[in-house]
Amino acid sequence: SQELEQSPQSLIVQEGKNLTINCTSSKTLYGLYWYKQKYGEGLIFLMMLQKGGEEKSHEKITAKLDEKKQQSSLHITASQPSHAGIYLCGADSGDYGGSQGNLIFGKGTKLSVKP
Amino acid sequence: DSGVTQTPKHLITATGQRVTLRCSPRSGDLSVYWYQQSLDQGLQFLIQYYNGEERAKGNILERFSAQQFPDLHSELNLSSLELGDSALYFCASSVEGDSYNSPLHFGNGTRLTVT
C-alpha cells in the first residue's frame, strides 16, 4: 500500500509562475525528505524537515512540514526551466513499522516548466 | 555531484545471466543502500549495509544479493535475470546508519536492460 501520497502526479507551468507540490503521510512522521530527480539520473537531496511547523528554503524552493507532521508542501517561486524534473518526498520506513534507516518514497511529481 | 559513484552506467544483458553492480559511497559515509526504480513500482528499497554488516532488508528477491566490503564499497549481484528486472538501480550512502540524523545521498544509478 502507498503510504506517502504525492499530488499532483504531474504539473506543467509557465516559466515565472509559482507552484506547490504536496506530500501526505498516513502516519505522523519523524522526518520528511524532499529530493529532485532529473530523468534517468540520480536523486538530489533538497531538504529535510523534522519539526512540526518547520519551514526551510533553498534559493527559490521552500518546504514546510505541518504541525501534525503528516503533510508537507514544496513551493517553488518564479519557476525556471532548471526546476523541471521529478520531485519525490521520502520518509523513514521506521515510521511505518519497517526497519529504521532506509527511506520509502512517494511516487513523485513530474514538473515541466514551459519557457 | 553527490560523491556516490556507481558503475557501470548502463548494462545490457540476456535473461538468465548474472551481473554485478558496484557502488563507492561518499568519503566518510558508513552506510550504503540499494534501491530499484521502475516505472510501475517507483523507488523501492532493496537492502542496507552499515559498516560491513547487513542492517535492513526490503523487497529484495532471493536471486539478488549484496555485500559491503572493508573499504566500504558495495556490490549488488543480480542472478538468473528476468525481463522484469530491467530497471534503474541506485546506490545511496549516509554517514549514520539511520536516516533520522543523516540524509541519503544518491549515485546516478545503473540502468539495467535485460533482453
Side-chain angles (χ1 to χ4, degrees):
Chain A
S1 62
Q2 184 63 39
E3 291 143 332
L4 284 177
E5 292 285 342
Q6 284 188 239
S7 62
Q9 285 186 323
S10 64
L11 195 52
I12 303 173
V13 299
Q14 200 69 38
E15 182 177 357
K17 295 293 186 185
N18 303 335
L19 63 106
T20 299
I21 296 168
N22 294 302
C23 175
T24 302
S25 167
S26 55
K27 298 187 178 184
T28 301
L29 300 169
Y30 184 94
L32 190 287
Y33 304 78
W34 283 102
Y35 286 84
K36 177 188 173 186
Q37 182 181 22
K38 290 276 193 184
Y39 178 74
E41 296 181 11
L43 281 68
I44 300 166
F45 171 70
L46 296 176
M47 278 170 273
M48 176 172 72
L49 304 165
Q50 291 182 299
K51 299 176 185 174
E54 186 175 9
E55 180 176 319
K56 285 187 178 178
S57 293
H58 175 66
E59 298 179 342
K60 294 187 178 180
I61 301 176
T62 300
K64 301 178 187 179
L65 183 61
D66 75 342
E67 290 290 342
K68 290 185 178 180
K69 296 172 65 175
Q70 284 190 267
Q71 186 168 45
S72 178
S73 60
L74 186 85
H75 184 78
I76 298 177
T77 304
S79 59
Q80 301 168 354
S82 61
H83 288 128
I86 300 170
Y87 289 83
L88 296 107
C89 63
D92 194 281
S93 68
D95 290 327
Y96 298 96
S99 302
Q100 282 188 3
N102 58 87
L103 297 182
I104 64 165
F105 290 88
K107 292 280 190 182
T109 295
K110 184 178 177 182
L111 171 64
S112 301
V113 180
K114 294 172 112 176
Chain B
D1 183 9
S2 68
V4 179
T5 304
Q6 287 189 249
T7 55
K9 284 188 178 180
H10 302 278
L11 204 47
I12 301 174
T13 189
T15 54
Q17 295 299 305
R18 173 190 167 96
V19 296
T20 298
L21 281 54
R22 183 188 168 99
C23 169
S24 293
R26 290 189 323 162
S27 177
D29 285 0
L30 297 177
S31 206
V32 167
Y33 309 74
W34 286 98
Y35 282 82
Q36 180 192 59
Q37 187 177 42
S38 59
L39 279 175
D40 53 342
Q41 294 292 321
L43 201 55
Q44 298 286 314
F45 168 68
L46 296 177
I47 196 163
Q48 178 200 0
Y49 282 83
Y50 178 74
N51 205 19
E53 300 287 328
E54 183 183 303
R55 179 75 175 250
K57 241 177 181 176
N59 300 320
I60 188 166
L61 300 171
E62 282 191 16
R63 300 183 285 109
F64 297 180
S65 65
Q67 54 185 328
Q68 186 179 28
F69 295 88
D71 67 352
L72 301 177
H73 91 271
S74 178
E75 292 181 355
L76 179 67
N77 300 297
L78 315 176
S79 61
S80 303
L81 285 167
E82 302 175 359
L83 294 177
D85 296 328
S86 296
L88 255 177
Y89 290 85
F90 286 109
C91 169
S93 71
S94 66
V95 174
E96 304 285 343
D98 66 82
S99 64
Y100 285 175
N101 297 309
S102 58
L104 275 60
H105 295 271
F106 284 78
N108 283 331
T110 293
R111 181 173 293 280
L112 173 66
T113 303
V114 182
T115 61

